[in-house]
């Protein structure tokens, strides 16, 4: 009681206290030591596939342990419902439309290692900032953000150009084509059309030749030769890419060196885990950032014999349980090196589970719990609401559940802040520093609005009305489910973003997610008195958001996505690309 009186009476103490008050915000971060970062990113994992999010049949004890020892986010939102744009947003803290990593066409992800599109060199990842702050940075596993621009060794989109000191893994993504025993997955419908066209052209050529030989049709030999040459060239032009997908896309790299072409899938899980643990052991005496970007649980669901047939959900469940075991191995390595209290561990998925991924009666995609929709659907919760868990013993309160809107983009400013860096001031950063929210020093997320894109097309937006706790979500475009009411686009394999496969809503579909998280009961002006007010407010927010967008080159344009032989990473002399350096070792 006497201290304030003393301050008022002392001319020396007053400026001292004032100086401390002014400096407090600047010195506050130093009270929290700079941690190591281990960021675990699953691939295509549905929020309903994890025990701590309600699944009681797939066993995920290690991920559940993270939640028990840390903070579980129940409204953790991906910035896109597909791999490439979501991962671009994760690393840059920006909606992918800002970097050109969202598509205007149906090619919504990087399709080839030999494409020229990818994460632009002028984007600043949080890894690059941490590198400048003295961190050793590593990415192990999946990249899927491009490799080259103009030549097969310029590596302009490579992880090492984006702030990583070490890379081991797939520059592309895991697909069923990587497994010789599986049905090809990549561009399946288009490949059928190309093969059918080849057969038609070949049949025309053969008919013309037979007609010429039998005298039934008058065809000049020069015309026949041109037809035959065109038929052969047409076949070669597409088969040279699609016929060798396993060699062109299914490769493993260490830094710039190709170690397996094609990858030997039987040992991939072991190698990725070994590399992750080795990275932690090598860098235990200095600050480090490790992103373990799992190939699990993407098809073809590479699963070792130890886990096959062990789950109650077939191969997909086996695969998720193996990934959980890998999480446990990484956590054990952190504990073994005495780094548990100095390491922030984060676990998430890049987007929702793939509902349409089936082979016969086998379900090979994930489950999104109570949430409607899934992978590739930009608006529905099932495509973008993902697991989000953060653990940092002694700093973050254990066993906490936060039901506030957060984004994968928030990792960017949060990690940069904790590492002592500063976010770039020359561009819009859409993520928000969530450390105060995670620590419980603030009650609400900084996100008032979040915008949900499907490609470059805005499908939905949400408004977190903090004074009431309401979370309004307006859908302007939704995919047409087939069969009707099925909850996914089983006729296509992927739900589209535009064209005949979507419905435009005027007025928009409106849901209040805190009351209706499954988006089952759309509101209207008749049932919701605030309907018009909410729609107008969200509409103004969208207009303000769009004014912050600037034109950028389209990284996923057809010209950037198409296979270019001169950009093909090759272990050998192109087109004879083959090596197995891991086997040699």
């Amino acid at each position: 009681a006497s201290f304030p009186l003393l301050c008022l009476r002392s001319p020396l103490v007053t400026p001292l206290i004032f100086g401390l008050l002014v400096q407090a915000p600047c010195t506050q971060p130093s009270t929290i030591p700079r941690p190591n970062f281990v960021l675990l990113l699953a691939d295509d994992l549905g929020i309903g596939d994890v025990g701590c999010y309600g699944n009681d049949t797939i066993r995920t004890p290690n991920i559940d342990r993270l939640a028990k020892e840390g903070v579980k986010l129940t409204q953790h939102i991906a910035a896109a419902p597909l791999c490439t744009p979501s991962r671009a947003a994760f690393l840059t803290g920006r909606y992918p439309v800002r970097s050109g990593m969202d598509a205007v066409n149906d090619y919504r992800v990087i399709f080839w290692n030999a494409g020229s599109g990818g994460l632009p060199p002028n984007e600043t990842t949080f890894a690059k900032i941490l590198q400048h702050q003295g961190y050793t940075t590593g990415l192990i596993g999946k990249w899927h953000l491009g490799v080259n621009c103009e030549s097969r060794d310029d590596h302009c989109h490579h992880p090492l150009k984006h702030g990583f000191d070490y890379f081991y893994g797939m520059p592309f993504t895991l697909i069923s084509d990587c497994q010789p025993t599986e049905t090809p997955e990549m561009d399946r419908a288009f490949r059928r059309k190309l093969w059918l066209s080849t057969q038609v052209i070949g049949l025309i050529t053969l008919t013309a030749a037979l007609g010429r030989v039998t005298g039934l049709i008058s065809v000049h030999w020069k015309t026949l030769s041109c037809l035959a040459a065109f038929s052969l060239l047409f076949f070669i032009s597409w088969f040279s890419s699609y016929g060798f997908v396993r060699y062109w896309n299914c490769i493993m790299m260490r830094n710039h060196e190709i170690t397996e072409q094609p990858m030997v899938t039987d040992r991939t899980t072991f190698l990725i885990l070994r590399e992750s643990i080795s990275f932690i052991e090598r860098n235990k005496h200095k600050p480090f950032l490790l992103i373990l970007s799992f190939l699990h649980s993407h098809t073809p669901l590479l699963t070792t014999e130890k886990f096959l047939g062990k789950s109650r959900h077939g191969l997909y469940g086996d695969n998720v349980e193996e990934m959980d075991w890998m999480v446990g191995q990484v956590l054990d390595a952190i504990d073994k090196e005495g780094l548990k209290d100095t390491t922030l561990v984060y676990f998430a998925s890049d987007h929702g589970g793939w509902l349409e991924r089936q082979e016969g009666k086998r379900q090979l995609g994930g489950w999104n719990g109570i949430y409607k929709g899934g992978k590739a659907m930009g608006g529905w919760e099932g495509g973008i609401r993902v697991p989000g868990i953060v653990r940092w013993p002694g700093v973050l309160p254990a066993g906490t559940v936060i039901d506030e809107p957060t984004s994968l983009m928030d990792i960017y400013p949060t990690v940069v802040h904790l590492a002592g860096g500063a976010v770039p001031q020359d561009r819009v950063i859409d993520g928000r520093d969530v450390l105060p929210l995670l620590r419980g020093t603030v009650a609400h997320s900084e996100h008032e609005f979040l915008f949900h894109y499907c490609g470059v097309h805005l499908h939905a937006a949400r408004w977190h009305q903090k004074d009431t706790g309401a979370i309004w979500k307006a859908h302007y475009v939704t995919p047409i489910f087939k069969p009707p009411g099925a909850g996914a686009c089983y006729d296509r394999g992927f739900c589209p973003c535009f064209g005949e496969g979507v419905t435009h809503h005027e007025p928009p579909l409106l849901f209040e997610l805190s009351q209706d998280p499954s988006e089952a009961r759309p509101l209207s002006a008749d049932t919701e008195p605030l309907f018009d007010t909410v729609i107008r407010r969200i509409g103004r927010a969208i207009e303000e958001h769009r004014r912050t967008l600037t034109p950028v080159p389209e990284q996923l344009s057809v010209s950037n996505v198409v296979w270019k032989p001169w950009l093909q990473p090759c272990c050998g002399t192109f087109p004879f690309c083959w090596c197995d350096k891991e086997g040699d070792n």
Side-chain angles (χ1 to χ4, degrees), residues 325-400:
W325 170 78
M326 294 174 73
V327 170
Q329 294 296 299
V330 172
L331 297 180
D332 288 348
I334 293 171
D335 292 349
K336 178 185 172 186
E337 302 301 337
L339 301 174
K340 182 175 181 177
D341 293 341
T342 57
T343 301
L344 183 151
V345 179
Y346 168 76
F347 177 86
S349 178
D350 55 355
H351 51 71
W354 190 0
L355 301 180
E356 297 94 342
R357 189 66 178 95
Q358 300 173 332
E359 290 291 350
K361 294 183 178 180
R362 290 197 304 164
Q363 176 63 35
L364 300 180
W367 182 52
N368 300 312
I370 65 171
Y371 304 107
K372 181 181 289 187
K375 177 178 178 175
M377 304 182 208
W380 296 120
E381 288 292 284
I384 53 178
R385 191 183 288 221
V386 298
I389 303 170
V390 190
R391 187 193 76 173
W392 187 5
V395 178
L396 303 183
T400 303

Side-chain angles (χ1 to χ4, degrees), residues 444-500:
H444 294 296
S445 162
E446 285 189 35
H447 290 291
E448 184 177 10
F449 295 95
L450 285 169
F451 306 98
H452 309 305
Y453 283 89
C454 187
V456 299
H457 309 277
L458 185 76
H459 274 204
R462 80 179 64 206
W463 174 28
H464 181 206
Q465 194 176 3
K466 298 178 185 178
D467 56 342
T468 67
I471 300 171
W472 306 98
K473 186 173 172 194
H475 288 261
Y476 298 88
V477 184
T478 57
I480 299 172
F481 293 150
K482 288 189 178 179
C489 303
Y490 291 101
D491 60 325
R492 297 170 177 260
F494 267 120
C495 282
C497 296
F498 60 92
E500 296 179 354

Side-chain angles (χ1 to χ4, degrees), residues 123-383:
E123 287 293 327
T124 302
T125 66
F126 62 77
K128 189 172 290 186
I129 297 176
L130 264 63
Q131 219 176 27
H132 293 156
Q133 294 301 120
Y135 277 72
T136 301
T137 56
L139 173 70
I140 295 171
K142 170 176 172 171
W143 174 240
H144 207 192
L145 293 171
V147 182
N148 299 314
C149 288
E150 297 178 355
S151 67
R152 67 169 48 99
D153 57 359
D154 65 27
H155 300 122
C156 69
H157 302 306
H158 191 280
L160 268 58
K161 287 288 179 69
H162 282 292
F164 293 99
D165 297 305
Y166 184 75
F167 169 65
Y168 178 82
M170 287 191 77
F172 190 59
T173 182
L174 196 60
I175 50 176
S176 291
D177 304 68
C178 299
Q179 191 86 315
T181 58
E182 293 290 323
T183 304
E185 172 184 336
M186 186 173 156
D187 249 355
R188 188 181 297 182
F190 185 54
R191 284 157 85 167
R192 287 198 194 105
K193 291 177 182 177
L194 288 172
W195 179 237
L196 180 62
S197 300
T198 301
Q199 290 176 308
V200 170
I201 295 169
L203 185 62
I204 292 171
T205 304
L206 183 61
T207 302
L210 289 173
R212 167 72 185 185
V213 171
T214 58
L216 295 175
I217 304 175
S218 178
V219 182
H220 199 278
W221 281 115
K222 186 178 288 186
T223 304
L224 202 57
S225 299
C226 288
L227 266 174
F230 176 76
S231 178
L232 182 62
L233 286 172
F234 181 81
F235 174 71
I236 291 173
S237 66
W238 70 263
F239 191 78
S240 60
S241 56
Y242 286 108
F244 297 90
V245 168
R246 185 164 163 257
Y247 285 84
W248 300 156
N249 279 348
C250 304
I251 68 175
M252 297 290 284
M253 297 182 77
R254 177 175 285 107
N255 296 327
H256 291 147
E257 180 188 23
I258 299 172
T259 58
E260 296 179 1
Q261 189 170 16
M263 64 193 292
V264 182
T265 55
D266 290 346
R267 61 182 178 222
T268 304
T269 297
F270 163 76
L271 292 175
I272 286 177
L273 183 59
R274 184 189 70 180
E275 290 283 340
S276 300
I277 293 173
S278 175
F279 183 87
I280 293 170
E281 292 172 345
R282 291 197 309 270
N283 296 289
K284 61 186 176 183
H285 296 304
K286 50 191 173 183
F288 66 83
L289 161 71
L290 169 63
I291 298 180
L292 170 48
S293 180
F294 290 102
L295 303 184
H296 298 61
S297 49
H298 199 293
T299 49
L301 302 173
L302 299 183
T303 308
T304 59
E305 188 174 347
K306 177 182 176 181
F307 287 90
L308 286 175
K310 296 300 170 63
S311 81
R312 292 165 57 184
H313 286 278
L315 183 58
Y316 182 83
D318 299 344
N319 194 252
V320 173
E321 291 188 0
E322 179 173 64
M323 179 182 65
D324 178 81
W325 170 78
M326 294 174 73
V327 170
Q329 294 296 299
V330 172
L331 297 180
D332 288 348
I334 293 171
D335 292 349
K336 178 185 172 186
E337 302 301 337
L339 301 174
K340 182 175 181 177
D341 293 341
T342 57
T343 301
L344 183 151
V345 179
Y346 168 76
F347 177 86
S349 178
D350 55 355
H351 51 71
W354 190 0
L355 301 180
E356 297 94 342
R357 189 66 178 95
Q358 300 173 332
E359 290 291 350
K361 294 183 178 180
R362 290 197 304 164
Q363 176 63 35
L364 300 180
W367 182 52
N368 300 312
I370 65 171
Y371 304 107
K372 181 181 289 187
K375 177 178 178 175
M377 304 182 208
W380 296 120
E381 288 292 284

Side-chain angles (χ1 to χ4, degrees), residues 406-557:
T406 57
S407 169
L408 267 72
M409 297 184 291
D410 295 339
I411 297 305
Y412 186 106
T414 304
V415 164
V416 167
H417 166 80
L418 285 170
V423 298
Q425 300 300 307
D426 61 345
R427 65 199 66 194
V428 176
I429 300 295
D430 298 296
R432 298 290 182 265
D433 182 357
V434 291
L435 184 63
L437 184 68
L438 297 174
R439 298 187 74 194
T441 58
V442 301
H444 294 296
S445 162
E446 285 189 35
H447 290 291
E448 184 177 10
F449 295 95
L450 285 169
F451 306 98
H452 309 305
Y453 283 89
C454 187
V456 299
H457 309 277
L458 185 76
H459 274 204
R462 80 179 64 206
W463 174 28
H464 181 206
Q465 194 176 3
K466 298 178 185 178
D467 56 342
T468 67
I471 300 171
W472 306 98
K473 186 173 172 194
H475 288 261
Y476 298 88
V477 184
T478 57
I480 299 172
F481 293 150
K482 288 189 178 179
C489 303
Y490 291 101
D491 60 325
R492 297 170 177 260
F494 267 120
C495 282
C497 296
F498 60 92
E500 296 179 354
V502 302
T503 300
H504 293 263
H505 300 281
E506 182 56 47
L509 297 178
L510 182 66
F511 300 91
E512 211 283 76
L513 296 182
S514 65
Q515 301 296 320
D516 181 22
S518 300
E519 299 174 287
R521 302 183 300 275
L523 304 171
S524 67
D526 296 328
T527 60
E528 175 52 64
L530 295 175
F531 182 88
D532 292 330
T533 302
V534 170
I535 293 299
R536 283 196 299 270
R537 182 66 188 94
I538 294 177
R540 288 199 303 273
I542 290 172
E543 291 175 6
E544 293 167 8
H545 164 69
R546 282 177 169 155
R547 283 196 289 271
T548 70
L549 302 177
T550 55
V552 291
E554 296 173 15
Q555 296 298 323
L556 300 180
S557 65

